[in-house]
Amino acid sequence: DAKTTQPTSMDCAEGRAANLPCNHSTISGNEYVYWYRQIHSQGPQYIIHGLKNNETNEMASLIITEDRKSSTLILPHATLRDTAVYYCIVRDPNDYKLSFGAGTTVTVRA
Amino acid sequence: GAGVSQSPRYKVAKRGQDVALRCDPISGHVSLFWYQQALGQGPEFLTYFQNEAQLDKSGLPSDRFFAERPEGSVSTLKIQRTQQEDSAVYLCASSLGPTSGQETQYFGPGTRLLVL
């Protein structure tokens, strides 16, 4: 059972911000939102995670709505190397597994 | 430092052959995971080790699949009598601590298995 809904694909322009949406309307109070990405022929790569507050690191920012039913991953200045499948994952803190959906295929165009 | 490595990167097997896929986790990582990724889909959990103990093998699709981690470091995923539906990318991941939903998992590049 998918806990998240993401668009199948999206394009963005190189140098511009990429905003990747994710819906998780059934998220529980203690579940985290994780983002991973998978560049072609590589394994998934951790990007960022959050519970309630917005988070930022050197790769991206994560904005979680107040009701926690949706979130947005922001890549501030997309480059061609950011072309990948991006996975939004809702994760119980007691669950060691990662449950991937189909993700969003993001294509950054020059 | 070195990340998770997997070998071989590519494997072609004839239907009915046995295959063994190797994973070298990040040194010192307690937890090790195997995932299977079919073409065009996200990875799906197969099994989990904490040190040498296999704590969860609920995702293994059949008894032809077997995984081990005898010394708590390197792990091997073995598939006996391969079938065409076993064709997929097999990903290994490791994390520093024991079971926790907050541990970051670091993935290897995967082994792409093609069964003819």
Side-chain angles (χ1 to χ4, degrees):
Chain A
D1 293 335
K3 290 186 174 183
T4 64
T5 304
Q6 298 178 254
T8 302
S9 64
M10 61 184 294
D11 287 1
C12 61
E14 186 180 22
R16 305 294 292 269
N19 298 303
L20 283 61
C22 180
N23 288 324
H24 30 79
S25 58
T26 61
I27 192 170
S28 299
N30 63 343
E31 289 180 320
Y32 285 76
V33 179
Y34 274 74
W35 284 83
Y36 275 75
R37 73 178 184 183
Q38 188 172 23
I39 295 169
H40 184 62
S41 295
Q42 296 183 22
Q45 175 191 25
Y46 166 80
I47 301 174
I48 199 167
H49 75 280
L51 182 63
K52 295 180 181 179
N53 300 322
N54 298 336
E55 302 288 343
T56 295
N57 62 21
E58 65 278 6
M59 289 184 68
S61 295
L62 174 61
I63 308 298
I64 302 174
T65 58
E66 192 169 344
D67 64 7
R68 302 210 326 121
K69 293 186 177 182
S70 66
S71 60
T72 300
L73 179 74
I74 301 173
L75 307 177
H77 304 286
T79 71
L80 299 179
R81 288 189 299 271
D82 292 321
T83 292
V85 178
Y86 287 77
Y87 298 99
C88 172
I89 300 167
V90 167
R91 191 179 186 193
D92 186 292
N94 297 314
D95 190 0
Y96 43 81
K97 306 174 199 173
L98 289 171
S99 298
F100 294 84
T104 296
T105 300
V106 174
T107 304
V108 180
R109 302 192 185 278
Chain B
V4 178
S5 61
Q6 294 185 245
S7 61
R9 290 295 312 277
Y10 303 93
K11 177 69 178 178
V12 178
K14 292 183 179 178
R15 189 162 54 97
Q17 278 186 331
D18 297 349
V19 298
L21 313 180
R22 177 187 171 108
C23 172
D24 286 79
I26 295 172
S27 178
H29 276 199
V30 168
S31 298
L32 186 144
F33 306 82
W34 284 97
Y35 292 83
Q36 180 190 56
Q37 185 171 24
L39 188 64
Q41 299 182 22
E44 293 197 358
F45 171 80
L46 292 178
T47 187
Y48 163 67
F49 288 87
Q50 183 177 321
N51 294 309
E52 69 279 2
Q54 188 175 20
L55 299 186
D56 186 345
K57 53 182 181 179
S58 62
L60 296 177
S62 78
D63 58 7
R64 296 185 295 104
F65 287 69
F66 172 76
E68 60 183 6
R69 194 186 185 198
E71 298 179 357
S73 55
V74 172
S75 177
T76 303
L77 176 67
K78 298 180 179 178
I79 309 173
Q80 297 176 325
R81 304 181 303 281
T82 54
Q83 303 294 316
Q84 286 186 325
E85 61 263 28
D86 300 335
S87 296
V89 175
Y90 291 86
L91 294 159
C92 176
S94 69
S95 65
L96 180 61
T99 54
S100 166
Q102 294 191 56
E103 288 283 339
T104 297
Q105 294 185 21
Y106 298 89
F107 283 80
T111 294
R112 184 176 298 273
L113 173 65
L114 177 62
V115 181
L116 302 177

